[in-house]
Amino acid sequence: WLGCLALFLAMPWRENALAWEFLVLLLMRDLTIVVGAYIAYRETGIVMKSNFLGKLAMGVVAITLISMC
């Protein structure tokens, strides 16, 4: 849902649109997580779970996104 929030905040008709560079970084982060999880599953057959630090980091990024606009 973080990628969807970033896309919404980057819409050009918004008064304070999110910078496209920040949007690209967020989408690359999400893509890296998905590809990495797929590779780990393919190699080991184990579904990786997020830990507390990952959830905390996502929360900080979400709060940063919301406060920027």
Side-chain angles (χ1 to χ4, degrees), residues 13-44:
W13 58 80
R14 291 183 43 87
E15 185 176 329
N16 294 325
L18 185 67
W20 67 269
E21 296 92 348
F22 195 67
L23 175 66
V24 169
L25 285 174
L26 282 174
L27 293 177
M28 289 300 294
R29 173 192 169 272
D30 288 348
L31 183 65
T32 302
I33 290 170
V34 169
V35 170
Y38 173 72
I39 291 171
Y41 175 73
R42 190 183 64 202
E43 296 294 322
T44 65

